Amino acid sequence: MDTYSTHSGNIGNCPIYWTISCLRICNCKRYSSVRKYWIIALVCIFYLFFTVPRTNQDKHGLWTGDSVYSQSKIDQDPTDGVRGDEANESSSPTRSNVVYITLKSKRHKPANIRGTVRPKLRRKKVKVSHRDAQDGIQEKANKDNSNTNDKSRTYLGYSDRFVKVNRGDNSHHSSIRIYSQRAPPWFSNEDISTMRFLADSTITHFEKVTSRGSSFILFKSETNRTRANECHKCNGVVKRPLDMSEVFAFHLDRVLGLNRTLPAVSRRFHSLGDGQSCPVVLWDSSISPIVDADQPSERLTWGSYQVSLKHMCWYRGIVPKAEWRCTSIHHHEWSRLVVFDFLLQIYGRLDRNCCGFKPRPQDTCVKLGHHEECKDKDRVELTHIFHRKHDPHHLVFLNNKGYFDRDEDNLNFKLLEGIKELPDQSVSVLRSQRLREKLLQSLFLDQQYWESQGGRQGIEKLIDVIERRAKVLLTYINAHGIKVVPMNS
C-alpha cells in the first residue's frame, strides 16, 4: 500500500485517487477474483464512512486538505506583508484543493442631490366637488401658461410644487413661487406673507392719495382685517410700469442684509397701466420724513450731512451735541444707504441735482433744471429721507427706482463721499461671488416680475450690471481704506 500513498499522506481524500486504485487492483494478477471483490467492497465502505462526512463539512466552511480556514483568515489581506509569488508559495494551497468564495458587497443607492432630481409625488384619490374641479382646470391652464423652464428650476434648487394662497375667490395660485419647504433665508415670514398679500389679495377699490409730497394710487383690500375690525397692512401703493426696478431693489436689499425697504412685488391690473405689470409697494402710514417740512431751519443739506458724518451721530449710544447738526438717524444708517444707492445708482436722495455724474436729458434733475445748481453743493437739500415715527434712528428706503443703463465710467461716486465705514454683511455678499446666485433665487419667487423682464435671460442682464458695479465698489473700498465693520441693528 506504500506505493499508492500521496505526498501529504491524506489517503481517502480524493475520489479520483480511489478510482485509480480500484482499477489497479482489478488488473493485478496476484489476487483471485473473490479477493478482488472483497477489496473493492472494503474500499467503497471506507470511502462512504470517511470521505462523504468530510465532504458535507465543506459546505459549511473553506476546506483545503486537512485544514479549515477560519473567517478571520478570510478577512485578512492574502498578500499582507508578502509579495506576489512568495504569497502563493507560502500560504496558498494547491489549485486542486482550494475552494474560492466571492463576497459581494452591499450596493448603496446614489445620493439624491437636492435640486437635480424631481421628487415623485404620490397622488391620493379623493372625491372632488364641481367647484374644485373648476379650480383644477384653472390650475392646469396657469401651469401651461408659465414660461419658466425646468432648467431654471433645477439651477435654483427647487422642486416642482406650487403653493396656493387664499385670495378670497380661492380659484388662483399665488404668483409668489416657493417650490421648496421654506423661502430663502434672507426673507422673514412677514416678508413672505406681505408679498403674497400684495400679489394675490382681493382688491376692494382704488384711491388717489397725496402724501409725503407726492401723489400716488392706493389700492385697498380687506383680506387682513383683524378681530378688532381694523385693517392691518391692507393697502398697497401702485406705481408706474417704468418704476419696475423698485421690485429688484427690494430683493437686493434683502440679499445684502440691509432690510430697509418695504416689500414690493409686480402685479398686473386690467384697469391700470393698460394691463401692464406694475410695481406694488406696501403702504406704511407710520413712515414720515426725518425733517419737518414746516420748519425750514431744520433742513438736511449736503453740508450738514457731511458734518454729521464726521461726528458719527448716535454712535455707541452717545447723545450728539447741538453744534454737530445731527438728525435722529444713527451713523451706520448712512453707510447702509450708500451701498444700496451706489449699486442701483439712485441719485434722488443724496444727489438730487445730479452733480456727481453726467446726467441724460431725460433725467429728472435735467428736466427740473436742478443740474445747474451744482456750484454751491453744500446748500443742496437731501430729499426722500424717511424713518418710522416709533423708530426714529433707522432709515426706511422709499422711492427706490434704480438705473441700469449707466456705464461704469459714469457712476456717481459722490454718493460715497464722507463714508469711512461700510457694513460687513453686505460687503461679504459682494465678495463671496454668490451675489448672482442669491439674486436669481430671490427674484424667481416673483413670477410676475420674472416674466415681465423676459425670464431668466432678462434677469441675468440686470444682475450683470449690479455685479460690475459691485466690483467697482470693492475696488473703491480697497483704494480709499474704507473699513468694513459689523453694523447690528
PDB file of all heavy atoms in Angstrom, residues 216-236:
ATOM      1  N   PHE A 216     -50.102 109.442  -5.531  1.00  0.00           N
ATOM      2  CA  PHE A 216     -49.988 108.070  -5.990  1.00  0.00           C
ATOM      3  C   PHE A 216     -51.333 107.374  -5.838  1.00  0.00           C
ATOM      4  O   PHE A 216     -52.261 107.894  -5.197  1.00  0.00           O
ATOM      5  CB  PHE A 216     -48.913 107.313  -5.212  1.00  0.00           C
ATOM      6  CG  PHE A 216     -49.009 107.476  -3.726  1.00  0.00           C
ATOM      7  CD1 PHE A 216     -49.839 106.659  -2.969  1.00  0.00           C
ATOM      8  CD2 PHE A 216     -48.268 108.456  -3.071  1.00  0.00           C
ATOM      9  CE1 PHE A 216     -49.938 106.816  -1.610  1.00  0.00           C
ATOM     10  CE2 PHE A 216     -48.357 108.612  -1.705  1.00  0.00           C
ATOM     11  CZ  PHE A 216     -49.200 107.790  -0.967  1.00  0.00           C
ATOM     12  N   ILE A 217     -51.431 106.207  -6.438  1.00  0.00           N
ATOM     13  CA  ILE A 217     -52.654 105.412  -6.384  1.00  0.00           C
ATOM     14  C   ILE A 217     -52.506 104.347  -5.306  1.00  0.00           C
ATOM     15  O   ILE A 217     -51.495 103.635  -5.249  1.00  0.00           O
ATOM     16  CB  ILE A 217     -52.944 104.765  -7.746  1.00  0.00           C
ATOM     17  CG1 ILE A 217     -53.181 105.847  -8.790  1.00  0.00           C
ATOM     18  CG2 ILE A 217     -54.144 103.828  -7.669  1.00  0.00           C
ATOM     19  CD1 ILE A 217     -53.373 105.308 -10.188  1.00  0.00           C
ATOM     20  N   LEU A 218     -53.505 104.256  -4.471  1.00  0.00           N
ATOM     21  CA  LEU A 218     -53.503 103.308  -3.364  1.00  0.00           C
ATOM     22  C   LEU A 218     -54.626 102.310  -3.569  1.00  0.00           C
ATOM     23  O   LEU A 218     -55.770 102.696  -3.803  1.00  0.00           O
ATOM     24  CB  LEU A 218     -53.688 104.062  -2.049  1.00  0.00           C
ATOM     25  CG  LEU A 218     -53.459 103.293  -0.752  1.00  0.00           C
ATOM     26  CD1 LEU A 218     -51.983 102.999  -0.555  1.00  0.00           C
ATOM     27  CD2 LEU A 218     -53.985 104.102   0.437  1.00  0.00           C
ATOM     28  N   PHE A 219     -54.306 101.013  -3.538  1.00  0.00           N
ATOM     29  CA  PHE A 219     -55.377 100.027  -3.582  1.00  0.00           C
ATOM     30  C   PHE A 219     -55.639  99.514  -2.177  1.00  0.00           C
ATOM     31  O   PHE A 219     -54.731  99.421  -1.355  1.00  0.00           O
ATOM     32  CB  PHE A 219     -55.067  98.874  -4.546  1.00  0.00           C
ATOM     33  CG  PHE A 219     -54.178  97.796  -3.991  1.00  0.00           C
ATOM     34  CD1 PHE A 219     -54.670  96.835  -3.115  1.00  0.00           C
ATOM     35  CD2 PHE A 219     -52.850  97.712  -4.382  1.00  0.00           C
ATOM     36  CE1 PHE A 219     -53.866  95.823  -2.629  1.00  0.00           C
ATOM     37  CE2 PHE A 219     -52.037  96.706  -3.894  1.00  0.00           C
ATOM     38  CZ  PHE A 219     -52.552  95.767  -3.016  1.00  0.00           C
ATOM     39  N   LYS A 220     -56.878  99.199  -1.903  1.00  0.00           N
ATOM     40  CA  LYS A 220     -57.278  98.752  -0.572  1.00  0.00           C
ATOM     41  C   LYS A 220     -57.886  97.367  -0.662  1.00  0.00           C
ATOM     42  O   LYS A 220     -58.542  97.005  -1.621  1.00  0.00           O
ATOM     43  CB  LYS A 220     -58.268  99.730   0.055  1.00  0.00           C
ATOM     44  CG  LYS A 220     -57.659 101.094   0.364  1.00  0.00           C
ATOM     45  CD  LYS A 220     -58.603 101.961   1.175  1.00  0.00           C
ATOM     46  CE  LYS A 220     -57.944 103.275   1.557  1.00  0.00           C
ATOM     47  NZ  LYS A 220     -58.825 104.121   2.404  1.00  0.00           N
ATOM     48  N   SER A 221     -57.644  96.623   0.403  1.00  0.00           N
ATOM     49  CA  SER A 221     -58.154  95.268   0.489  1.00  0.00           C
ATOM     50  C   SER A 221     -58.536  94.987   1.930  1.00  0.00           C
ATOM     51  O   SER A 221     -57.968  95.557   2.865  1.00  0.00           O
ATOM     52  CB  SER A 221     -57.100  94.252   0.025  1.00  0.00           C
ATOM     53  OG  SER A 221     -57.548  92.939   0.250  1.00  0.00           O
ATOM     54  N   GLU A 222     -59.515  94.111   2.104  1.00  0.00           N
ATOM     55  CA  GLU A 222     -59.965  93.753   3.440  1.00  0.00           C
ATOM     56  C   GLU A 222     -59.509  92.343   3.818  1.00  0.00           C
ATOM     57  O   GLU A 222     -60.051  91.719   4.715  1.00  0.00           O
ATOM     58  CB  GLU A 222     -61.492  93.838   3.523  1.00  0.00           C
ATOM     59  CG  GLU A 222     -62.033  95.247   3.312  1.00  0.00           C
ATOM     60  CD  GLU A 222     -63.537  95.320   3.468  1.00  0.00           C
ATOM     61  OE1 GLU A 222     -64.145  94.250   3.674  1.00  0.00           O
ATOM     62  OE2 GLU A 222     -64.089  96.425   3.389  1.00  0.00           O
ATOM     63  N   THR A 223     -58.504  91.856   3.135  1.00  0.00           N
ATOM     64  CA  THR A 223     -58.036  90.499   3.394  1.00  0.00           C
ATOM     65  C   THR A 223     -57.437  90.361   4.781  1.00  0.00           C
ATOM     66  O   THR A 223     -57.623  89.358   5.452  1.00  0.00           O
ATOM     67  CB  THR A 223     -56.982  90.112   2.338  1.00  0.00           C
ATOM     68  OG1 THR A 223     -57.562  90.238   1.049  1.00  0.00           O
ATOM     69  CG2 THR A 223     -56.515  88.683   2.543  1.00  0.00           C
ATOM     70  N   ASN A 224     -56.731  91.386   5.253  1.00  0.00           N
ATOM     71  CA  ASN A 224     -56.001  91.298   6.507  1.00  0.00           C
ATOM     72  C   ASN A 224     -56.701  92.015   7.655  1.00  0.00           C
ATOM     73  O   ASN A 224     -56.060  92.628   8.494  1.00  0.00           O
ATOM     74  CB  ASN A 224     -54.586  91.878   6.336  1.00  0.00           C
ATOM     75  CG  ASN A 224     -53.725  90.996   5.479  1.00  0.00           C
ATOM     76  OD1 ASN A 224     -54.178  89.992   4.986  1.00  0.00           O
ATOM     77  ND2 ASN A 224     -52.470  91.377   5.312  1.00  0.00           N
ATOM     78  N   ARG A 225     -58.004  91.955   7.716  1.00  0.00           N
ATOM     79  CA  ARG A 225     -58.700  92.583   8.835  1.00  0.00           C
ATOM     80  C   ARG A 225     -58.502  91.779  10.114  1.00  0.00           C
ATOM     81  O   ARG A 225     -58.551  90.553  10.110  1.00  0.00           O
ATOM     82  CB  ARG A 225     -60.201  92.700   8.533  1.00  0.00           C
ATOM     83  CG  ARG A 225     -60.529  93.880   7.647  1.00  0.00           C
ATOM     84  CD  ARG A 225     -62.013  94.186   7.684  1.00  0.00           C
ATOM     85  NE  ARG A 225     -62.328  95.359   6.909  1.00  0.00           N
ATOM     86  CZ  ARG A 225     -62.257  96.586   7.384  1.00  0.00           C
ATOM     87  NH1 ARG A 225     -61.855  96.784   8.618  1.00  0.00           N
ATOM     88  NH2 ARG A 225     -62.575  97.616   6.628  1.00  0.00           N
ATOM     89  N   THR A 226     -58.256  92.465  11.201  1.00  0.00           N
ATOM     90  CA  THR A 226     -58.047  91.817  12.485  1.00  0.00           C
ATOM     91  C   THR A 226     -59.381  91.613  13.183  1.00  0.00           C
ATOM     92  O   THR A 226     -60.436  92.004  12.701  1.00  0.00           O
ATOM     93  CB  THR A 226     -57.125  92.685  13.359  1.00  0.00           C
ATOM     94  OG1 THR A 226     -57.751  93.961  13.581  1.00  0.00           O
ATOM     95  CG2 THR A 226     -55.785  92.930  12.662  1.00  0.00           C
ATOM     96  N   ARG A 227     -59.314  91.025  14.387  1.00  0.00           N
ATOM     97  CA  ARG A 227     -60.535  90.763  15.142  1.00  0.00           C
ATOM     98  C   ARG A 227     -61.219  92.055  15.552  1.00  0.00           C
ATOM     99  O   ARG A 227     -62.430  92.109  15.710  1.00  0.00           O
ATOM    100  CB  ARG A 227     -60.198  89.934  16.382  1.00  0.00           C
ATOM    101  CG  ARG A 227     -59.722  88.518  16.052  1.00  0.00           C
ATOM    102  CD  ARG A 227     -59.448  87.744  17.329  1.00  0.00           C
ATOM    103  NE  ARG A 227     -59.004  86.372  17.036  1.00  0.00           N
ATOM    104  CZ  ARG A 227     -58.691  85.492  17.963  1.00  0.00           C
ATOM    105  NH1 ARG A 227     -58.770  85.822  19.254  1.00  0.00           N
ATOM    106  NH2 ARG A 227     -58.305  84.283  17.626  1.00  0.00           N
ATOM    107  N   ALA A 228     -60.435  93.093  15.751  1.00  0.00           N
ATOM    108  CA  ALA A 228     -61.000  94.386  16.144  1.00  0.00           C
ATOM    109  C   ALA A 228     -61.563  95.143  14.945  1.00  0.00           C
ATOM    110  O   ALA A 228     -61.921  96.306  15.065  1.00  0.00           O
ATOM    111  CB  ALA A 228     -59.944  95.242  16.838  1.00  0.00           C
ATOM    112  N   ASN A 229     -61.633  94.467  13.808  1.00  0.00           N
ATOM    113  CA  ASN A 229     -62.180  95.051  12.579  1.00  0.00           C
ATOM    114  C   ASN A 229     -61.369  96.239  12.091  1.00  0.00           C
ATOM    115  O   ASN A 229     -61.880  97.142  11.451  1.00  0.00           O
ATOM    116  CB  ASN A 229     -63.645  95.462  12.771  1.00  0.00           C
ATOM    117  CG  ASN A 229     -64.380  95.542  11.438  1.00  0.00           C
ATOM    118  OD1 ASN A 229     -64.022  94.831  10.503  1.00  0.00           O
ATOM    119  ND2 ASN A 229     -65.383  96.379  11.355  1.00  0.00           N
ATOM    120  N   GLU A 230     -60.055  96.216  12.437  1.00  0.00           N
ATOM    121  CA  GLU A 230     -59.161  97.261  11.971  1.00  0.00           C
ATOM    122  C   GLU A 230     -58.300  96.685  10.851  1.00  0.00           C
ATOM    123  O   GLU A 230     -57.753  95.597  10.963  1.00  0.00           O
ATOM    124  CB  GLU A 230     -58.272  97.770  13.107  1.00  0.00           C
ATOM    125  CG  GLU A 230     -59.052  98.486  14.206  1.00  0.00           C
ATOM    126  CD  GLU A 230     -58.125  98.958  15.308  1.00  0.00           C
ATOM    127  OE1 GLU A 230     -56.916  98.674  15.207  1.00  0.00           O
ATOM    128  OE2 GLU A 230     -58.617  99.605  16.239  1.00  0.00           O
ATOM    129  N   CYS A 231     -58.173  97.453   9.790  1.00  0.00           N
ATOM    130  CA  CYS A 231     -57.417  96.982   8.626  1.00  0.00           C
ATOM    131  C   CYS A 231     -55.927  97.087   8.933  1.00  0.00           C
ATOM    132  O   CYS A 231     -55.394  98.175   9.136  1.00  0.00           O
ATOM    133  CB  CYS A 231     -57.773  97.820   7.403  1.00  0.00           C
ATOM    134  SG  CYS A 231     -57.211  97.098   5.868  1.00  0.00           S
ATOM    135  N   HIS A 232     -55.242  95.937   8.981  1.00  0.00           N
ATOM    136  CA  HIS A 232     -53.822  95.887   9.294  1.00  0.00           C
ATOM    137  C   HIS A 232     -53.026  95.583   8.027  1.00  0.00           C
ATOM    138  O   HIS A 232     -53.108  94.495   7.473  1.00  0.00           O
ATOM    139  CB  HIS A 232     -53.552  94.812  10.351  1.00  0.00           C
ATOM    140  CG  HIS A 232     -52.090  94.638  10.659  1.00  0.00           C
ATOM    141  ND1 HIS A 232     -51.329  95.616  11.259  1.00  0.00           N
ATOM    142  CD2 HIS A 232     -51.271  93.578  10.444  1.00  0.00           C
ATOM    143  CE1 HIS A 232     -50.090  95.173  11.413  1.00  0.00           C
ATOM    144  NE2 HIS A 232     -50.035  93.940  10.919  1.00  0.00           N
ATOM    145  N   LYS A 233     -52.254  96.572   7.556  1.00  0.00           N
ATOM    146  CA  LYS A 233     -51.427  96.412   6.365  1.00  0.00           C
ATOM    147  C   LYS A 233     -52.234  95.864   5.189  1.00  0.00           C
ATOM    148  O   LYS A 233     -51.891  94.859   4.567  1.00  0.00           O
ATOM    149  CB  LYS A 233     -50.238  95.491   6.667  1.00  0.00           C
ATOM    150  CG  LYS A 233     -49.228  96.081   7.636  1.00  0.00           C
ATOM    151  CD  LYS A 233     -48.026  95.177   7.821  1.00  0.00           C
ATOM    152  CE  LYS A 233     -47.006  95.817   8.744  1.00  0.00           C
ATOM    153  NZ  LYS A 233     -45.828  94.964   8.933  1.00  0.00           N
ATOM    154  N   CYS A 234     -53.338  96.528   4.900  1.00  0.00           N
ATOM    155  CA  CYS A 234     -54.194  96.053   3.819  1.00  0.00           C
ATOM    156  C   CYS A 234     -54.228  97.042   2.671  1.00  0.00           C
ATOM    157  O   CYS A 234     -55.174  97.062   1.902  1.00  0.00           O
ATOM    158  CB  CYS A 234     -55.606  95.790   4.336  1.00  0.00           C
ATOM    159  SG  CYS A 234     -56.361  97.206   5.147  1.00  0.00           S
ATOM    160  N   ASN A 235     -53.181  97.873   2.532  1.00  0.00           N
ATOM    161  CA  ASN A 235     -53.102  98.839   1.445  1.00  0.00           C
ATOM    162  C   ASN A 235     -51.780  98.677   0.712  1.00  0.00           C
ATOM    163  O   ASN A 235     -50.751  98.323   1.314  1.00  0.00           O
ATOM    164  CB  ASN A 235     -53.217 100.279   1.964  1.00  0.00           C
ATOM    165  CG  ASN A 235     -54.536 100.525   2.681  1.00  0.00           C
ATOM    166  OD1 ASN A 235     -55.540  99.880   2.389  1.00  0.00           O
ATOM    167  ND2 ASN A 235     -54.531 101.451   3.622  1.00  0.00           N
ATOM    168  N   GLY A 236     -51.803  98.948  -0.575  1.00  0.00           N
ATOM    169  CA  GLY A 236     -50.589  98.903  -1.374  1.00  0.00           C
ATOM    170  C   GLY A 236     -50.528 100.068  -2.334  1.00  0.00           C
ATOM    171  O   GLY A 236     -51.555 100.494  -2.878  1.00  0.00           O
TER     172      GLY A 236
END
